[in-house]
Amino acid sequence: MDRHIPLERIRNIGIIAHIDAGKTTTTERILYYTGRTYKIGEVNEGTATMDWMVQEQERGITITAAATTCLWKDFYISIIDTPGHVDFTVEVERSLKVLDGAVVVFCGVGGVEPQSETVWRQADRYGVPRIAFVNKMDRTGANFIETIDQMHKRLGANAGAIQLPYGVAENFNGIIDLIENKLISYTEVTGKEFEVIEIPEDAKKDAEHYRNLLIEKLAEADDEMLDIYLHQKEITTAKIKEVIRRTVVQNKFIPVLCGSSFRNKGVQMLLDAVGDYLPSPKDVPPIKGTNPKTEEFEEIVVSEKAPFCAFCFKVATDPFVGKLNYIRVYSGTLNSGKYIYNSSKREKERITKLLRMHANRQEIIEAAYAGDIVAAVGLKETKTGDTLCEESNQILIEAMRFPEPVIQQAIEPKTKNDQERLGMALHKLVEEDPSFRVNYNHETGQTVISGMGQLHLEIIADRILREFNVQVQTGFPEVAYRETITKKVSSTGKFIQQSGGRGQYGHVVIELEPQEAPGAGITFENKIKGGAIPQEFIPSVKDGIFDCAKSGVLANYPVTDVKVILVDGSFHEVDSSEMAFKMAASIALSDGMRKAHPVLLEPIMDMEIIVPEEFMGVIIGDLSSRRAKIVSINPRANVRAIKTFVPLAEIFNYATVSRSLTQGRASYTMEPSYYTEVPLYISEKIISGFASSGQKQR
């Protein structure tokens, strides 16, 4: 970014939505109209600029968040196009962490779909201001007003139309601007040419009604507009725009636009709305960080003249330059070749090259400034979630939390020659994707990969073959169970060895108790008083606890939701060592787990099935046989939406089942929701299968 572009004119936005709502198509039109590309790329033809991965082009879906930049009028816009498929929701999570605003795309036919709710909640969590774009208004069954009603009911959003579609389905040929009180009428197929005319008589009544509704919504969210509205003062176009911008930045109002990206309608108005209503880096609340020395919160000043501070939100592997670290610069200036400090790892790093990304294409730049999103080359230790700053002005931005994998499978190289290369490939993929895990199962001698779903692991295996040229074999996918405890216990661990010379002595006493909140994982608390265990051995005790928790006592699954408190122990002046205390802690945790009534946990999926009414009975009957809990059945046009919670173990290959039950007319989406205890009769089968075969049951 050039220095002459002021921070007020910068927009860092994400395009987020349910799968197939039209995110990438919308982004492609944005790139075309802003002059970033000279030919419109199409998702269904595999020519979309932002879907650059071979796997994306073949499947017609977005897998990885792609970044680009463009200029619209006098605004400099950085865009991240995110995936819609739930298996890649981590890409949305880390993008929203660093973005100032978002465009949420809804399908005019499908309305607020399950993944729409997921990305909306993610944006709520990070406090990201939003505008909404109801796409596919040219499709039969599209309903703009119904989609806004669903936003109110399902998302709890204070949303209001600032546009109306003129015409429906194949007759959709214009957009009514409720702020300017004009009709935008398109005159040619690419959408570049349009004319602004008076609203026709047949649409004036609707336009007046929805303009009044818009003003009422703004009056609910803004005191100044409420005063103007109650005193019946004149409401100017400029005042409406000013209030919309203020309420959007404050996260109190969602303006809703409409269009059809595929038919090239509405995208220029969407770009105008991005500039007019979404915040600049200076408009959002300052990012807070912790001073590592004082452990007190500090605010990061958004300015090029402030000390440098940036956040690494993504790591990618490039075949030509190696590791790319995507960073958001919050303050200061970063020059190529400069040494910086990683306050998360407490390491010095050197930036060898700075790149501005356009999907997978790169443009070398000399410097990055506050508000920039760029890629850095040369960082060896920096991972996703790390803070970069000046060593003389250290700060630590809160890292992101990523969901636990719910599915796993064994993977092995086809030949011995591929063994080492597979290890390198898996290491790079783990660096890239925090929701992807790799573990070595000592019981079976297998390498086990874990991810967010079957598609996630399929893509991983495909990338290992294509990008790293490693031939692999994979086992059947299996559920990623977890183990936890149900009662509070005390446990002692001793590791004592005498072997002639110096021996080993470690002794710890711990208390185990279930976590109050599910999903809290393993936590460790040190309550040692009076030096029963010297401070230098406490980290070893913690390491021993976390190492042992990687495999439980029932069927070797990872342990979760357990609070471990170190309460006592003893040491030997000569024989105590870090290794001895690590072993003692592992022994204490294993013994404690066995005494604390351990149970297996299984992932439960939040699932929505869209099914024609005539097949609803057979689908519900099938779900009941799969231990599903039906939450609601809602009508949608001529279909029914069945919302249910169902164990992942019961719905492997459900796509095939649902197609056969409904003549191929049902569709579904699902995402991990929570872990719950496995019923006893199923738990016994899993444990006995593990005990008899020495490996997890397939």
Side-chain angles (χ1 to χ4, degrees):
M1 186 187 70
D2 298 327
R3 277 187 183 278
H4 67 265
I5 299 176
L7 275 166
E8 293 80 6
R9 313 308 293 178
I10 294 173
R11 301 290 180 269
N12 291 317
I13 66 165
I15 313 288
I16 60 175
H18 181 90
I19 190 170
D20 205 32
K23 297 177 302 303
T24 302
T25 302
T26 302
T27 309
E28 292 299 318
R29 268 49 179 189
I30 287 173
L31 296 179
Y32 176 68
Y33 293 131
T34 56
R36 197 70 168 87
T37 58
Y38 299 98
K39 182 173 180 284
I40 295 176
E42 299 294 358
V43 174
N44 55 3
E45 294 173 5
T47 57
T49 304
M50 303 302 278
D51 284 352
W52 57 270
M53 290 175 68
V54 177
Q55 293 84 358
E56 292 176 318
Q57 293 165 358
E58 288 178 351
R59 289 169 169 81
I61 61 170
T62 302
I63 292 169
T64 185
T68 188
T69 54
C70 57
L71 285 165
W72 177 250
K73 297 181 178 175
D74 57 348
F75 291 102
Y76 179 91
I77 306 173
S78 292
I79 302 171
I80 297 182
D81 176 35
T82 64
H85 199 286
V86 68
D87 282 19
F88 310 106
T89 190
V90 67
E91 293 286 334
V92 184
E93 186 84 18
R94 58 184 174 188
S95 300
L96 287 172
K97 169 79 174 175
V98 298
L99 292 171
D100 302 322
V103 175
V104 189
V105 182
F106 296 93
C107 171
V109 180
V112 177
E113 296 170 283
Q115 191 66 7
S116 309
E117 296 183 48
T118 302
V119 297
W120 195 272
R121 288 195 300 270
Q122 288 173 304
D124 279 343
R125 189 158 59 248
Y126 291 111
V128 178
R130 280 146 274 178
I131 61 178
F133 180 65
V134 181
N135 192 24
K136 303 189 179 183
M137 293 309 303
D138 61 313
R139 295 263 297 271
T140 302
N143 191 324
F144 181 65
I145 300 304
E146 172 63 23
T147 301
I148 296 177
D149 286 343
Q150 289 178 15
M151 290 175 67
H152 295 154
K153 292 171 187 171
R154 296 187 191 178
L155 306 176
N158 183 28
I162 63 171
Q163 295 177 346
L164 286 179
Y166 184 64
V168 294
E170 66 272 9
N171 295 319
F172 172 63
N173 51 28
I175 295 168
I176 296 169
D177 185 335
L178 296 176
I179 300 171
E180 301 282 355
N181 258 333
K182 298 287 183 182
L183 171 68
I184 296 137
S185 179
Y186 287 89
T187 55
E188 51 91 45
V189 70
T190 67
K192 272 200 166 184
E193 300 296 326
F194 56 86
E195 54 184 8
V196 181
I197 58 176
E198 295 299 319
I199 298 173
E201 286 297 324
D202 63 340
K204 276 188 175 177
K205 189 175 178 182
D206 276 352
E208 186 179 351
H209 170 70
Y210 286 106
R211 191 175 198 270
N212 289 334
L213 271 182
L214 169 64
I215 290 166
E216 286 175 18
K217 286 280 180 191
L218 291 173
E220 288 174 21
D222 186 80
D223 290 342
E224 185 185 0
M225 182 59 87
L226 179 63
D227 182 66
I228 294 170
Y229 179 71
L230 290 176
H231 292 90
Q232 298 183 342
K233 299 176 187 175
E234 182 189 356
I235 302 174
T236 63
T237 298
K239 180 55 68 178
I240 293 174
K241 286 188 172 183
E242 176 195 320
V243 173
I244 291 175
R245 175 170 178 75
R246 184 161 62 237
T247 51
V248 168
V249 169
Q250 293 170 347
N251 247 325
K252 292 180 178 178
F253 179 68
I254 312 291
V256 188
L257 300 88
C258 62
S260 168
S261 298
F262 187 67
R263 302 290 176 201
N264 311 306
K265 293 173 182 171
V267 179
Q268 297 100 320
M269 289 82 238
L270 176 62
L271 278 165
D272 287 339
V274 167
D276 289 342
Y277 307 130
L278 286 179
S280 74
K282 292 190 84 168
D283 295 320
V284 294
I287 296 292
K288 288 184 178 178
T290 309
N291 185 319
K293 294 175 182 175
T294 64
E295 295 191 352
E296 292 181 358
F297 280 111
E298 293 181 4
E299 289 188 346
I300 298 166
V301 180
V302 181
S303 166
E304 291 175 11
K305 295 176 181 176
F308 168 72
C309 177
F311 184 80
C312 174
F313 66 96
K314 179 180 168 78
V315 176
T317 302
D318 184 273
F320 303 106
V321 299
K323 190 167 83 167
L324 291 176
N325 289 80
Y326 285 74
I327 61 172
R328 161 71 193 262
V329 182
Y330 284 109
S331 66
T333 302
L334 175 63
N335 293 301
S336 184
K338 181 181 176 183
Y339 277 96
I340 54 172
Y341 187 71
N342 182 329
S343 56
S344 305
K345 298 284 190 301
R346 300 184 180 184
E347 295 271 356
K348 258 188 167 183
E349 294 264 45
R350 183 173 179 268
I351 302 277
T352 56
K353 196 184 293 182
L354 285 171
L355 306 170
R356 184 174 294 130
M357 300 301 294
H358 179 49
N360 62 329
R361 294 200 288 278
Q362 305 159 359
E363 174 191 339
I364 297 174
I365 55 176
E366 290 303 314
Y369 308 98
D372 258 355
I373 293 176
V374 296
V377 179
L379 300 176
K380 292 182 172 61
E381 302 299 327
T382 302
K383 305 280 193 300
T384 300
D386 286 358
T387 305
L388 303 171
C389 58
E390 293 177 2
E391 192 170 5
S392 59
N393 204 84
Q394 294 179 29
I395 196 158
L396 200 58
I397 299 171
E398 184 185 2
M400 295 170 277
R401 286 188 65 184
F402 296 109
E404 284 293 312
V406 296
I407 192 170
Q408 61 189 31
Q409 64 184 171
I411 187 169
E412 60 184 34
K414 284 190 175 178
T415 68
K416 281 199 169 183
N417 292 337
D418 285 329
Q419 181 74 53
E420 189 176 333
R421 287 192 296 150
L422 174 61
M424 289 172 58
L426 290 173
H427 176 73
K428 287 182 178 178
L429 291 169
V430 166
E431 269 197 334
E432 283 188 25
D433 185 351
S435 64
F436 174 62
R437 313 279 167 85
V438 178
N439 291 299
Y440 183 74
N441 188 327
H442 294 279
E443 299 281 336
T444 63
Q446 290 178 317
T447 299
V448 178
I449 57 174
S450 308
M452 300 306 297
Q454 285 175 272
L455 179 61
H456 188 193
L457 296 186
E458 278 176 30
I459 297 293
I460 291 288
D462 194 43
R463 289 187 62 192
I464 289 170
L465 174 62
R466 297 199 200 203
E467 293 177 29
F468 301 98
N469 197 27
V470 180
Q471 300 277 343
V472 294
Q473 297 177 143
T474 55
F476 293 109
E478 57 181 33
V479 177
Y481 292 103
R482 294 287 182 267
E483 298 184 22
T484 192
I485 59 174
T486 55
K487 64 178 262 191
K488 182 176 179 178
V489 297
S490 178
S491 178
T492 300
K494 286 186 177 180
F495 183 73
I496 303 171
Q497 282 186 346
Q498 292 297 331
S499 54
R502 180 178 170 179
Q504 295 286 352
Y505 183 94
H507 168 220
V508 301
V509 180
I510 60 173
E511 289 179 355
L512 309 180
E513 59 184 70
Q515 294 276 19
E516 290 180 13
I522 302 284
T523 58
F524 175 80
E525 188 178 345
N526 175 24
K527 283 193 175 178
I528 289 284
K529 290 178 182 174
I533 298 175
Q535 278 300 314
E536 64 261 30
F537 295 132
I538 302 297
S540 301
V541 174
K542 184 177 179 181
D543 289 346
I545 296 292
F546 279 89
D547 278 357
C548 183
K550 290 177 182 176
S551 54
V553 297
L554 293 175
N556 219 27
Y557 288 103
V559 178
T560 189
D561 293 349
V562 176
K563 185 176 183 180
V564 181
I565 305 165
L566 177 62
V567 292
D568 201 2
S570 63
F571 72 102
H572 188 279
E573 290 284 357
V574 177
D575 292 348
S576 285
S577 66
E578 291 180 355
M579 193 270 284
F581 274 101
K582 186 173 180 179
M583 294 298 295
S586 296
I587 293 165
L589 183 66
S590 291
D591 290 349
M593 284 283 296
R594 290 186 179 89
K595 293 190 291 185
H597 292 181
V599 294
L600 282 183
L601 302 176
E602 65 178 343
I604 303 296
M605 309 301 283
D606 183 351
M607 187 175 184
E608 185 173 78
I609 305 163
I610 308 298
V611 60
E613 196 167 351
E614 61 264 37
F615 297 109
M616 192 172 71
V618 69
I619 286 290
I620 289 175
D622 179 69
L623 287 171
S624 298
S625 71
R626 297 172 184 273
R627 299 192 282 133
K629 178 184 174 185
I630 307 291
V631 177
S632 63
I633 301 172
N634 298 310
R636 278 198 202 167
N638 58 344
V639 296
R640 292 290 182 269
I642 303 170
K643 190 172 176 61
T644 179
F645 290 106
V646 59
L648 175 62
E650 302 289 346
I651 48 172
F652 279 122
N653 298 319
Y654 190 72
T656 306
V657 174
S658 62
R659 278 197 292 265
S660 65
L661 291 175
T662 63
Q663 299 171 11
R665 294 173 63 192
S667 63
Y668 71 92
T669 55
M670 65 179 181
E671 62 176 310
S673 182
Y674 59 92
Y675 270 84
T676 192
E677 188 175 337
V678 178
L680 185 60
Y681 71 97
I682 295 175
S683 177
E684 287 173 347
K685 284 183 187 176
I686 296 168
I687 295 166
S688 63
F690 171 77
S692 62
S693 64
Q695 61 183 21
K696 296 186 181 112
Q697 187 184 29
R698 290 291 166 109

